[in-house]
């Protein structure tokens, strides 16, 4: 309608500007609806990550990949700027929810299964990284988190975990003590002297790093469930630091 009324762009800038704003609003509305539908569709798949079923079955992750692939096709038909912004929002959501399952303390690895779990996280993370890289997500800073956490989980000797905390502290300053407690619970480590030394090491590293002015926030948006078994051998003075 706007175009029919005014074919000379220079002669009626107000109408053209209004038309552009209307198109922009429609695109944003469509993208928001696609994003909301995507989040709803993948919720059950992500919810079953880091569980007993996840350890032995790849079906949910395959469905998650398929849904991301479907959205990638939509992105390929969009203009570059909105497509990239859309992909970045999806990337952040998937990372937050995937890692969030690790923080719920729903499953704890037994009998050295932590090595298998770490390898699985690493492999799946590579797949997710490739998908969102192809979609041109601007959130490259999210790529390290899967590797950082799987490195902690996969250490064969629990005494070596202390020397593998530095990367996650450097990459994600909002990684807290309670998040580490949840990661250790998933690994199957819940008590003992070495457990306490690992938590102390995290505190030291965070103090050494000091406060951060980064605008990048990930773990601060992810609640961590602290299983009561993890607290049984902690000194009372440490409990106030689980934040």
């Amino acid at each position: 309608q706007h175009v029919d009324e005014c074919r000379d762009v220079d002669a009626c800038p107000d109408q053209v500007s209004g038309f552009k704003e209307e198109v922009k609003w429609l695109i944003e509305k469509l993208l928001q609806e696609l994003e909301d539908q995507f989040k709803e569709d993948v919720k059950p798949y992500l919810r079953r990550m880091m569980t007993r079923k996840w350890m032995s079955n790849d079906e949910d992750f395959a469905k998650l990949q398929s849904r991301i692939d479907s959205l990638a096709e939509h992105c390929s038909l969009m203009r570059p700027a909105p497509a990239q912004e859309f992909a970045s929002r999806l990337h952040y959501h998937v990372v937050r929810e995937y890692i969030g399952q690790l923080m719920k303390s729903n499953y704890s690895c037994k009998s050295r299964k932590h090595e298998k779990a770490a390898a699985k996280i690493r492999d799946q993370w590579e797949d997710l990284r490739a998908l969102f890289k192809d979609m041109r997500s601007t959130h490259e800073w999210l790529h390290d988190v899967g590797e950082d956490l799987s490195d902690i989980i996969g250490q064969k000797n629990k005494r070596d975990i202390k020397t593998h905390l530095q990367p996650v502290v450097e990459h994600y300053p909002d990684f807290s003590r309670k998040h580490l407690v949840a990661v250790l619970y998933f690994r199957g480590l819940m008590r003992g002297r070495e457990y306490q030394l690992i938590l102390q090491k995290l505190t030291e590293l965070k103090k050494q790093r000091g406060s951060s002015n980064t605008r990048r926030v990930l773990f601060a948006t992810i609640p961590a469930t602290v299983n009561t078994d993890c607290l049984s051998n902690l000194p009372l003075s440490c409990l106030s630091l689980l934040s």
Side-chain angles (χ1 to χ4, degrees), residues 6-17 20:
C6 182
R7 295 183 181 278
D8 187 345
V9 173
D10 294 330
C12 46
D14 291 342
Q15 288 91 332
V16 172
S17 177
K20 288 181 178 179

Side-chain angles (χ1 to χ4, degrees), residues 50 92 95-107 121 145 148-150 152-153 161 164-165 168-169 171-190 195 198-200 202-203 206 216-227 230-231 234 238-243:
M50 314 303 162
Y92 186 88
V95 167
R96 182 185 182 279
E97 294 302 313
Y98 185 100
I99 297 301
Q101 302 311 306
L102 187 60
M103 301 301 162
K104 290 183 177 180
S105 299
N106 287 330
Y107 179 76
I121 292 171
V145 63
D148 292 347
L149 296 183
S150 62
I152 294 171
I153 294 165
I161 292 175
H164 291 266
L165 297 176
V168 72
V169 173
H171 295 146
Y172 307 97
D174 57 348
F175 181 75
S176 71
R177 192 179 178 98
K178 63 185 178 182
H179 292 114
L180 179 57
V181 167
V183 172
L184 294 178
Y185 178 83
F186 179 80
R187 186 195 180 277
L189 182 57
M190 290 166 265
Y195 174 82
I198 293 168
L199 296 180
Q200 289 173 16
L202 177 70
T203 300
K206 289 179 73 68
R216 295 172 176 174
V217 176
L218 177 61
F219 285 97
T221 70
I222 301 176
T225 301
V226 180
N227 191 288
C230 302
L231 306 179
L234 274 181
C238 293
L239 298 183
S240 63
L241 300 176
L242 288 172
S243 60

